[in-house]
Amino acid sequence: MTKTVYVVSDSVGETAELLVKAVASQFNGGVVEIQHFSYVQNIEDLELILTQAKNNDAIIAYTIVVPFLKQFLDEKAKEEGIFAVDLLNPLMQAFRAKFNSEPKSEPGLMRKLDENYFRRVEAIEFAVKYDDGQDVRGIRHADIVLIGVSRTSKTPLSMYLANKIFKVANVPLVPEIAPPEELFNIPKNKCVGLVITPNKLNEIRIERLKNLGLTAQANYANLGRILEELDYAEKIMKRIGCPVINVSNKAVEETADVILAMFKKRGV
């Protein structure tokens, strides 16, 4: 004979269903009829579920975290002789005792965490795909576009902001290469220019060349070349009309905070 289990939740109810199936596999060949009651938000919903459960001789397995709903379900099920099992309560009590704090009692928090996780992964993948101007199509789809000469922290800044769930593309500005037209066709406040003092950039590039086993005399670290690049980048930034941040003495986190503050101010 097939047994019926009502899975009741003030959220989706995925956790309850998985646990019910795991337990059911130990009985009756795992054959149970599961009926879902998701997003239960009021007493009226519970009254209807309890009536049906009693008429169908069903077990209620629930993951309800809203206190007044849980209390009503527990009390009413006991009165009516219905098996109602709170699947979260044992672990909730253990957390309460161990951490000496109270739960938020807010439904759907796990789904919100999962959604944020996947959005973060998507943003990181976006930053990798559209790093260093690899594909200019990303400019139109990015939340933030970083521009600047080489070694102005565009890549690490892109990854840091991606972890804050922003899709970031970055484009290097090089005098010999015309900037992509897409930069001039997006809202100017979506683009952020990164500048740095010539001497600081010279130091960074010399160190970079040493790490690569190359001579510090290469044109890449030549001060005249650096001045040419910075002048070119400044002209592009002025043409776009984007905000500009001097990263000379800023850690990546500091620069990111400045950018996030700008976007927060705009209500993004």
Side-chain angles (χ1 to χ4, degrees), residues 52-230:
Q52 291 182 24
K54 185 173 183 179
N55 292 338
N56 295 323
D57 192 27
I59 295 172
I60 295 177
Y62 71 89
T63 52
I64 290 178
V65 296
V66 178
F68 81 92
L69 292 177
K70 170 181 162 44
Q71 182 179 354
F72 177 84
L73 179 53
D74 286 339
E75 292 176 354
K76 203 69 175 177
K78 187 175 181 180
E79 288 177 15
E80 298 294 335
I82 301 167
F83 281 108
V85 184
D86 182 349
L87 300 177
L88 298 179
N89 189 58
L91 194 55
M92 197 80 79
Q93 292 297 342
F95 272 56
R96 186 181 273 116
K98 182 66 176 178
F99 301 124
N100 193 30
S101 62
E102 291 300 311
K104 293 182 178 180
S105 299
E106 181 182 337
L109 288 181
M110 189 171 74
R111 176 160 289 272
K112 290 178 184 177
L113 290 173
D114 287 345
E115 288 174 357
N116 283 339
Y117 170 78
F118 288 114
R119 285 175 58 207
R120 184 174 293 107
V121 169
E122 183 182 3
I124 291 170
E125 290 176 345
F126 186 96
V128 171
K129 183 175 182 179
Y130 299 112
D131 179 47
D132 205 33
Q134 294 179 74
D135 187 341
V136 296
R137 292 175 298 179
I139 293 172
R140 291 186 293 110
H141 303 293
D143 299 316
I144 302 170
V145 179
L146 303 176
I147 60 173
V149 301
S150 175
R151 313 312 294 175
T152 47
S153 302
K154 295 186 300 299
T155 295
L157 188 54
S158 294
M159 297 306 297
Y160 186 91
L161 290 169
N163 274 284
K164 300 292 184 181
I165 320 182
F166 282 88
K167 292 181 179 179
V168 185
N170 74 77
V171 180
L173 298 179
V174 184
E176 292 77 16
I177 302 174
E181 281 300 316
E182 286 82 356
L183 283 178
F184 307 101
N185 296 324
I186 59 173
K188 61 183 180 182
N189 59 7
K190 182 179 176 178
C191 186
V192 178
L194 304 177
V195 297
I196 189 170
T197 61
N199 289 335
K200 182 68 175 179
L201 184 55
N202 179 243
E203 292 173 12
I204 293 171
R205 289 190 175 183
I206 288 174
E207 193 62 34
R208 174 64 173 164
L209 289 172
K210 286 180 181 177
N211 291 337
L212 293 173
L214 301 173
T215 173
Q217 303 306 313
N219 192 44
Y220 180 68
N222 179 274
L223 193 56
R225 169 63 182 184
I226 286 173
L227 290 169
E228 179 188 356
E229 288 185 35
L230 291 173

Side-chain angles (χ1 to χ4, degrees), residues 7 23 26 28 30 34 41-42 45 52 61 73 88 102 109 123-124 142 190 203 228 237 249 251:
V7 170
V23 173
Q26 304 295 319
N28 197 33
I34 296 176
Q41 297 178 341
N42 53 58
D45 290 341
Q52 291 182 24
L73 179 53
L88 298 179
E102 291 300 311
L109 288 181
I124 291 170
K190 182 179 176 178
E203 292 173 12
E228 179 188 356
M237 293 171 193
N249 297 304

